[in-house]
Amino acid sequence: MLLGTCGWSYQEWVGLFYPNNRIAKLPFYSKVFGTVEVDSSFYRMPTKSMVKGWEKATGSAFRFSLKLPKTITHDRHLAGGEGDFYKFLDVIKPLEDSGKLGCLLLQLSPSFSFDEIESLESFFKLLPPHIHFAAEFRHESWNRKETWNLLRKYNVANTITESPIEFLSRIVVTSSTHAYIRWHGRGKPVWYDYTYSEEELRRWIHNLREIEAQVPLTYAYFNNHYGGNAPRNTLQFIAMRGELTEMQKRILTRTERNSRKIPSKITDFL
């Protein structure tokens, strides 16, 4: 299982997760977690030099999952987005070449409904079979067996979420090679401004066992980034699975003790 957070460059994590503003965030993050979901690629396609920088800043076992640009998924509703898609694949090639590419996420528009299933399948036909993909639906019309059958046909993972959209929280595994999970939070009005309780996290321990029994690899990311909740909840979840390292334990202890205190030394964490 690859477990991490959605994004890493949040200034509000300084003093809670990151020791100070002098430390480079991504190298520090990659010593704590083995994967990250790149959220910024949704808003703006990264440059190849930027991607090469990510690759050089992380260890050989680290994995990057990335969201496809919204110009493909939201602006065009997948129709006519082949050019941007192939450009995106070329930009992230350094991650693929180094073995650091995880899963690519198609987070679809809330207005993208089952009526556009032909556009979805046409886009699926473009997907390179050697790369892992996941689709996250936001329109409830997709909650049907035809959707899951289509994802199975192209080995695309259904994104299982923890969010106010209840049908997305159903455990529906559609890929034979991987699963994809996102904890969005249940904050009001902003989903992501949320801290998961111990009880809420423990309910997912059983869910994860069920999912991991069906696929060899599971990508899972906490997206509740406000106030440093994502790294704290991720570490708490790792602890519940009995997989916390000594370094992770020290960081978790610090974040739980005082979320506002800014540590003075990086050695307090490492």
Side-chain angles (χ1 to χ4, degrees):
M1 178 180 180
L2 291 172
L3 182 62
T5 67
C6 298
W8 70 84
S9 60
Y10 303 104
Q11 180 62 25
E12 61 191 306
W13 292 10
V14 174
L16 173 63
F17 180 70
Y18 298 114
N20 52 58
N21 271 318
R22 296 185 299 276
I23 192 71
K25 291 183 174 64
L26 182 55
F28 183 91
Y29 175 98
S30 67
K31 292 178 182 177
V32 183
F33 302 119
T35 186
V36 72
E37 179 190 283
V38 180
D39 182 67
S40 60
S41 57
F42 174 77
Y43 300 98
R44 179 179 296 179
M45 189 175 302
T47 63
K48 187 169 284 190
S49 62
M50 184 183 299
V51 173
K52 288 179 179 178
W54 298 342
E55 190 276 323
K56 292 181 182 299
T58 53
S60 60
F62 195 81
R63 298 292 179 269
F64 291 88
S65 293
L66 300 95
K67 289 171 68 174
L68 265 65
K70 66 184 181 70
T71 54
I72 300 170
T73 57
H74 286 52
D75 296 349
R76 293 193 178 96
H77 278 213
L78 304 181
E82 295 90 345
D84 279 355
F85 178 60
Y86 290 129
K87 179 181 178 181
F88 183 70
L89 292 180
D90 179 64
V91 164
I92 64 174
K93 195 70 164 51
L95 299 179
E96 181 183 353
D97 291 343
S98 62
K100 294 186 179 184
L101 182 60
C103 186
L104 300 184
L105 173 64
L106 290 80
Q107 181 182 295
L108 300 167
S109 167
S111 62
F112 188 76
S113 72
F114 188 78
D115 292 340
E116 297 176 88
I117 190 171
E118 290 184 4
S119 293
L120 182 62
E121 181 161 19
S122 294
F123 191 79
F124 281 173
K125 291 177 181 178
L126 305 176
L127 307 184
H130 65 284
I131 295 178
H132 289 171
F133 287 88
E136 180 176 306
F137 300 99
R138 292 293 177 90
H139 196 285
E140 196 159 0
S141 63
W142 293 101
N143 185 21
R144 58 180 76 192
K145 65 180 182 180
E146 292 89 349
T147 301
W148 317 135
N149 288 340
L150 180 64
L151 267 61
R152 290 187 183 99
K153 178 179 177 181
Y154 292 94
N155 199 42
V156 174
N158 166 55
T159 300
I160 302 164
T161 79
E162 214 300 318
S163 73
I165 302 179
E166 297 301 333
F167 89 88
L168 292 177
S169 300
R170 292 177 52 199
I171 297 177
V172 180
V173 177
T174 57
S175 168
S176 63
T177 55
H178 60 286
Y180 205 88
I181 305 167
R182 306 179 84 209
W183 286 273
H184 287 307
R186 291 175 175 265
K188 296 180 180 179
V190 181
W191 291 4
Y192 319 111
D193 189 3
Y194 191 77
T195 303
Y196 283 103
S197 67
E198 181 177 336
E199 180 182 354
E200 288 173 317
L201 293 177
R202 288 198 180 280
R203 285 200 293 265
W204 274 91
I205 296 295
H206 172 75
N207 293 344
L208 259 295
R209 292 194 186 110
E210 180 182 341
I211 294 166
E212 289 180 294
Q214 299 181 60
V215 290
L217 178 59
T218 299
Y219 302 91
Y221 302 98
F222 279 86
N223 195 25
N224 55 329
H225 59 82
Y226 280 69
N229 291 323
R232 182 164 61 253
N233 278 158
T234 305
L235 289 168
Q236 290 169 336
F237 195 75
I238 293 172
M240 291 176 185
R241 287 171 58 90
E243 299 171 351
L244 204 66
T245 66
E246 285 301 314
M247 179 188 66
Q248 290 172 329
K249 183 178 180 180
R250 289 195 291 272
I251 296 174
L252 177 57
T253 298
R254 176 62 67 92
T255 62
E256 290 182 329
R257 183 191 307 148
N258 190 346
S259 62
R260 294 182 180 274
K261 181 179 178 181
I262 300 177
S264 58
K265 297 180 180 179
I266 187 172
T267 52
D268 290 343
F269 285 79
L270 300 179

